[in-house]
């Protein structure tokens, strides 16, 4: 595929949305209309180009973020199709981390849904400009204006409609160009663009005026023209809307139906017109090993800086997806990076590929702005910054959430224990939200993840990709511990004297207090103790050892050995006994006092609390509400719209295990629900 060298003609974008809003269906149309694929694959047939994993085809959902490329209007679009299911939100997180803009897809019937809000928050954290595509407007109950209102209300964003559905005319109305666009041909690939009929334009005149006013708020030169009743030209409007989009003030909005091949080509024009090229994005900031900051300017000149955003096993071999922020990279180049424990690791890139979903093509060179696949890197993990040797930096890392659900697993064949351990290690490298732990009480191996579907997919992959059969226990909810009242404790660390007269006897004393904090506030460590005797001092090694001891004590609480959250730890007094109060002895005294204080502070278990949204037919509403209340769910809102009821609630995760089966039974298979982790609570 011919690669344009001008970065102004590149768009790195992602497609993101709530599950089943139509992201993959839209991506299939984008690939077909740009000529990147020669037929449209449908998700419901298990034939979507971007859903290339066997599990994706079987379940009809996107599980892994897939990368591909397409050309439109002499621009190169590098596109990532992301999952919509909350269990795979790490895939969205790391995709958005390396992209320059995104297309958020909304369901035309249901508007903003829970995972739309999650994706929107992820987008906002990286300050990504976005376009909105309101999909499924061919379905009964779809309402373009209601979707725009839900964007304003729930996302607190200003949608700027560019194309409006005109079903009576069989197409969409383009507000900037004042044209009616119809999509004909077997796959909607032929566009018929004509001036908008006067009677249709009259109905939508106010929308065009609202768009001009929104653009005028961004561009002062337009403000005088619009307020005096003048008519801005399409070029002036596009320039102002682009400026507003890049600044995060406006979000251009397109209507259509991907499945019915309506409205996709204008959206592609919007990607080129309004979303940023790599050079339009703010300069990336990196941290040097000495703690100082450095600006990484997007340019092929200068030492290499690239972010490894995903590790993937491909044909059984380890590959790394990377986005280049500076410099060039070729097969055979050596790279260095900082490991999680602060060491500098050196490796060599064996091969370089560009990727089209499940296919990879060799490349000889990658430059700043490119997203490429690297082979031959054995130690690089998600979030590492690949640098030129001797020029090590760290770009902002990728956040991974802690798992909330666990399964006890063992190999189906007793002889495959070693193989299972090896394979689990590989799968963990791919997915930072997956953990493998050992239960200290039972000795069982626990596989922890983000939800029931997440763990089910992992087990299916172990069997299909690696040929390891797995027996799994019932899902068990991850717990955390906290305290419910203030408490303090004193401890003396004085092990038996050593027989070696040259070694001083270890001894230290500490007083530690703990107090609860508000839920979700995290832990606070106050380390400014009174020192005994007068004039004693704690040096840096003592302070570091004490911090590590506190972290270790909070990693395993007194009730079940789970992590302790939402408390303040205050080291009030430390007594030193000369040479015997080594950093190890002092830290041991603080750790011992802290463990006593935690036991005295009425410790309590916390379980995951989930945000829950259930959509059911109105006749089933009473039965579903009754069932939720029996599960001790806290109902927050109920809305009824076009014979569908939406229930928003908070509930502990444990009573919701297996809820999908119950909901199917209560609604004859017509109910849907989505869960999202909110916090750990009592």
């Amino acid at each position: 595929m011919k690669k344009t060298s001008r970065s102004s003609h590149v768009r790195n974008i992602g497609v993101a949305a709530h599950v089943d809003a139509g992201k993959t269906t839209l991506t299939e149309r984008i690939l077909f209309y740009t000529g990147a694929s020669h037929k449209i694959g449908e998700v419901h047939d298990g034939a979507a180009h971007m859903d290339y994993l066997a599990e994706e085809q079987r379940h009809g959902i996107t599980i892994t973020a897939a990368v591909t490329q397409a050309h439109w209007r002499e621009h190169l679009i590098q596109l990532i199709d992301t999952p919509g299911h909350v269990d795979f939100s790490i895939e969205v997180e790391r995709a958005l981390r390396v992209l320059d803009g995104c297309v958020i897809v909304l369901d035309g019937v249901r508007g903003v849904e829970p995972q739309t809000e999650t994706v929107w928050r992820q987008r906002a954290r990286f300050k990504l400009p976005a376009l909105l595509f309101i999909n499924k407007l061919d379905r009964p109950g779809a309402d373009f204006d209601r979707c725009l209102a839900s964007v304003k209300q729930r996302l607190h964003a200003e949608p700027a409609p560019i194309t409006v559905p005109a079903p009576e005319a069989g197409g969409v109305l383009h507000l900037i160009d004042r044209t009616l666009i119809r999509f004909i041909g077997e796959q909607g690939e032929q566009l018929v663009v004509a001036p908008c009929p006067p009677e249709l334009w009259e109905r939508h005149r106010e929308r065009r005026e609202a768009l001009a006013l929104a653009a005028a708020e961004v561009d002062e030169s337009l403000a005088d023209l619009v307020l005096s009743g003048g008519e801005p030209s399409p070029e002036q409007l596009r320039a102002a809307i682009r400026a507003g989009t890049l600044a995060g003030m406006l979000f251009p909005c397109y209507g259509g139906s991907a499945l019915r091949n309506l409205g996709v080509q204008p959206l592609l024009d919007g990607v080129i017109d309004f979303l940023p090229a790599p050079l339009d994005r703010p300069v990336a900031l990196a941290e040097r090993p000495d703690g100082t900051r450095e600006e990484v300017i997007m340019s092929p000149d200068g030492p290499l800086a690239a972010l490894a955003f995903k590790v993937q096993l491909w044909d059984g071999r380890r590959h790394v997806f990377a986005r280049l922020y500076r410099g060039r990279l070729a097969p055979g180049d050596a790279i260095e990076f900082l490991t999680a424990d602060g060491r500098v690791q050196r490796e060599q890139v064996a091969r370089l590929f560009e990727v089209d979903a499940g296919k990879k093509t060799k490349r000889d060179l990658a430059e700043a702005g490119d997203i490429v696949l690297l082979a031959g890197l054995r130690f690089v993990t998600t979030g590492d910054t690949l640098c030129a040797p001797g020029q090590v930096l760290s770009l902002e890392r990728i956040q991974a959430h802690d798992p909330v659900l666990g399964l006890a697993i063992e190999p189906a064949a007793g002889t495959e224990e070693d193989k299972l351990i090896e394979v689990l290690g590989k799968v963990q490298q791919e997915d930072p939200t997956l953990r493998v732990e050992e239960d200290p009480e039972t000795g069982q191996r626990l596989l922890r993840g983000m939800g029931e579907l997440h763990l089910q997919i992992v087990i299916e992959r172990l069997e299909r990709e690696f040929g390891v059969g797995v027996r799994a226990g019932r899902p068990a909810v991850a717990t955390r511990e906290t305290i419910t009242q203030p408490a303090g404790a004193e401890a003396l660390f004085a092990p038996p004297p050593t027989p070696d007269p040259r070694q001083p006897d270890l001894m230290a004393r500490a007083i530690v207090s703990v107090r609860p904090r508000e839920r979700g506030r995290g832990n606070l460590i106050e380390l400014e103790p009174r020192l005994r005797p007068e004039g004693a001092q704690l040096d840096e090694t003592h302070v570091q050892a004490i911090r590590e001891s506190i972290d270790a004590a909070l990693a395993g609480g007194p009730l079940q050995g789970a992590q302790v959250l939402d408390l303040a730890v205050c080291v009030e007094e430390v007594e030193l006994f000369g040479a015997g109060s080594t950093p190890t002895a002092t830290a041991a005294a603080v750790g011992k006092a802290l463990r006593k204080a935690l036991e005295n502070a009425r410790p309590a278990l916390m379980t995951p609390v989930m945000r829950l949204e259930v959509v059911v037919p109105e006749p089933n509403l009473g039965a579903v509400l009754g069932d939720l209340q029996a599960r001790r769910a806290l109902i927050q809102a109920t809305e009824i719209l076009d014979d569908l009821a939406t229930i928003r609630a908070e509930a502990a995760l444990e009573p919701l295990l297996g809820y999908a089966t119950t909901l199917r039974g209560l609604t004859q298979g017509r109910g849907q629900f989505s869960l999202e982790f909110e916090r750990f609570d009592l």
Side-chain angles (χ1 to χ4, degrees):
M1 184 177 287
K2 183 172 166 289
K3 162 91 171 64
T4 175
S5 58
R6 292 175 295 167
S7 61
S8 62
H9 280 56
V10 174
R11 300 288 183 271
N12 291 312
I13 66 162
V15 181
H18 185 89
V19 65
D20 204 29
K23 295 174 302 304
T24 304
T25 304
L26 173 64
T27 308
E28 291 298 315
R29 268 62 185 176
I30 289 174
L31 294 177
F32 179 73
Y33 296 140
T34 57
S37 71
H38 302 294
K39 70 178 184 64
I40 293 176
E42 300 296 7
V43 175
H44 49 263
D45 297 333
H49 179 77
M50 302 298 275
D51 286 350
Y52 60 90
L53 284 184
E55 286 76 22
E56 295 179 314
Q57 292 160 9
R58 187 182 312 140
H59 292 274
I61 59 169
T62 302
I63 292 166
T64 181
V67 181
T68 192
Q69 299 185 335
H71 286 268
W72 186 254
R73 280 175 35 190
E74 297 180 357
H75 287 65
L76 172 72
I77 299 174
Q78 296 196 97
L79 186 144
I80 300 185
D81 175 31
T82 64
H85 203 287
V86 70
D87 283 17
F88 309 108
S89 61
I90 182 65
E91 292 285 340
V92 185
E93 180 81 21
R94 54 189 176 188
L96 295 184
R97 170 67 185 82
V98 297
L99 292 170
D100 300 322
C102 59
V103 175
I104 307 286
V105 185
L106 281 82
D107 184 319
V109 179
R110 298 174 61 182
V112 174
E113 298 175 85
Q115 187 64 9
T116 321
E117 294 184 46
T118 305
V119 169
W120 193 260
R121 284 196 297 273
Q122 290 171 311
R123 177 214 64 80
R125 195 163 61 250
F126 300 124
K127 297 185 172 61
L128 284 190
L131 305 185
L132 301 170
F133 183 68
I134 298 180
N135 193 21
K136 302 190 178 183
L137 287 173
D138 59 306
R139 289 176 57 194
D143 189 324
F144 186 73
D145 289 318
R146 192 173 67 223
C147 286
L148 295 180
S150 76
V151 168
K152 280 187 177 181
Q153 181 194 343
R154 293 183 66 175
L155 302 183
H156 310 294
E158 192 58 49
I162 307 294
T163 62
V164 180
E168 67 275 31
V172 298
L173 174 63
H174 201 296
L175 293 178
I176 295 179
D177 296 333
R178 297 186 174 207
T179 52
L180 176 66
I181 306 172
R182 290 188 298 122
F183 308 86
I184 60 171
E186 196 175 323
Q187 310 279 12
E189 69 276 14
Q190 297 171 33
L191 269 63
V192 177
V193 182
C196 184
E199 66 281 1
L200 181 61
W201 182 253
E202 220 30 66
R203 290 210 297 276
H204 292 283
R205 177 188 294 280
E206 287 182 8
R207 290 186 192 275
R208 160 78 183 215
E209 289 168 2
L211 183 64
L213 284 169
E217 286 187 23
V218 177
D219 186 339
E220 286 186 15
S221 63
L222 268 189
D224 298 336
L225 175 65
V226 171
L227 293 174
S228 62
E231 192 63 59
S233 70
E235 293 72 28
Q236 287 174 304
L237 266 183
R238 279 191 171 86
I241 292 168
R242 178 178 175 81
T245 306
L246 297 191
M249 297 164 65
L250 291 179
F251 298 93
C253 189
Y254 294 79
S257 167
L259 188 62
R260 301 282 173 254
N261 309 316
L262 292 171
V264 177
Q265 293 94 325
L267 174 71
L268 277 167
D269 287 334
V271 167
I272 306 301
D273 290 338
F274 303 129
L275 288 183
L279 292 176
D280 295 325
R281 295 286 291 143
V283 173
L285 281 177
E287 195 172 285
R288 298 190 187 99
D290 61 5
T292 56
R293 310 299 291 278
E294 179 181 327
E295 288 191 343
V296 177
I297 294 166
M298 182 79 64
S299 162
D301 305 317
L304 174 73
L307 186 74
F309 67 94
K310 183 176 177 177
V311 175
Q312 185 164 340
L313 295 169
W314 206 308
D315 303 329
R317 292 193 180 88
R318 194 176 192 274
H319 291 70
V320 175
F321 279 99
R323 162 83 192 265
L324 275 69
Y325 285 85
R326 184 176 66 195
R328 295 182 171 90
L329 185 62
D333 284 358
I335 55 108
E336 286 185 353
F337 63 94
L338 273 178
T339 61
D341 56 4
R343 290 180 298 109
V344 174
Q345 179 84 42
R346 189 183 182 105
E347 292 205 75
Q348 191 168 18
V349 176
R351 287 178 302 286
L352 225 139
F353 303 97
E354 67 182 29
V355 179
D356 173 18
K359 298 196 290 287
K360 55 186 193 218
T361 313
K362 278 191 181 177
R363 266 179 77 163
D364 299 325
L365 184 70
E367 293 187 348
D370 288 346
I371 293 173
V372 287
L373 185 69
L374 311 176
L377 301 177
R378 293 168 52 212
F379 303 109
V380 172
T381 58
T382 298
D384 287 340
T385 304
L386 315 182
C387 305
Q391 306 267 355
V392 174
L393 297 168
S394 294
L395 290 157
E396 182 192 347
R397 292 192 75 87
I398 293 165
Q399 293 180 351
H401 298 292
D402 287 335
V404 295
L405 202 64
L407 286 174
I409 60 167
E410 61 183 34
T415 54
E416 293 191 327
E417 183 79 20
D418 292 341
K419 187 176 180 185
L420 177 63
I421 293 169
E422 179 195 342
V423 166
L424 285 173
K426 288 180 178 177
V427 177
Q428 270 183 284
Q429 289 180 21
E430 279 194 343
D431 187 345
T433 58
L434 203 64
R435 308 272 166 82
V436 179
E437 299 167 0
E438 194 168 287
D439 188 319
E441 291 179 10
T442 63
Q444 286 178 307
R445 186 169 290 106
L446 297 177
L447 181 66
R448 296 194 183 279
M450 300 305 293
E452 290 180 272
L453 180 64
H454 187 199
L455 296 173
Q456 178 191 343
I457 296 290
V458 170
I459 289 169
E460 284 181 20
R461 281 192 61 202
L462 291 179
E463 293 183 5
R464 179 184 63 84
E465 272 184 50
F466 304 102
V468 180
V470 173
R471 281 203 298 267
R474 291 195 59 224
V477 171
T479 55
R480 298 287 185 269
E481 297 183 24
T482 191
I483 56 172
T484 56
Q485 66 181 32
E490 177 181 346
L492 176 70
F493 178 73
T498 58
D500 187 348
R502 290 170 299 177
Q503 294 287 336
D505 293 335
L506 297 178
M507 186 180 285
R509 188 181 68 87
I511 298 175
V512 174
S513 67
V514 291
R515 63 181 188 277
R517 301 184 80 202
E518 278 180 46
R519 204 60 65 236
R521 290 291 299 276
N523 294 341
L524 175 69
I525 296 172
E526 298 166 353
L527 190 50
E528 292 182 1
R530 296 186 302 275
L531 295 176
R532 300 267 190 269
E534 289 290 330
Q537 282 192 319
L538 289 177
D539 61 26
E540 191 55 44
T541 52
H542 279 84
V543 172
Q544 184 63 29
I546 289 171
R547 285 193 179 278
E548 288 173 5
S549 176
I550 292 172
D551 288 342
L554 296 180
L559 295 177
Q560 289 188 355
Q563 188 181 348
V564 189
L565 299 180
D566 300 337
L567 79 163
V569 177
C570 178
V571 182
E572 295 189 354
E573 186 173 302
V574 172
E575 186 172 358
L576 304 177
F577 297 88
S581 294
T582 61
T584 306
T586 312
V590 170
K592 190 175 175 184
L594 174 54
R595 280 187 286 275
K596 277 189 187 175
L598 291 173
E599 287 171 7
N600 297 340
R602 282 208 11 232
L605 278 182
M606 296 195 295
T607 56
V609 172
M610 313 299 282
R611 261 213 310 268
L612 172 69
E613 183 162 302
V614 189
V615 179
V616 297
E618 190 185 352
N620 304 124
L621 177 61
V624 172
L625 281 173
D627 178 69
L628 285 174
Q629 283 160 347
R631 295 169 191 266
R632 303 192 303 281
L634 181 66
I635 311 294
Q636 294 173 323
T638 307
E639 296 171 8
I640 298 175
L641 202 62
D642 297 332
D643 299 329
L644 280 180
T646 302
I647 306 161
R648 293 195 188 90
E650 273 188 1
L653 176 57
E654 188 139 20
L656 293 174
L657 294 179
Y659 182 60
T661 308
T662 307
L663 186 65
R664 275 198 298 271
L666 290 171
T667 62
Q668 293 79 50
R670 293 162 64 205
Q672 300 177 32
F673 78 102
S674 61
L675 280 179
E676 187 182 346
F677 173 69
E678 176 71 18
R679 64 183 183 280
F680 280 97
D681 212 334
L682 299 174

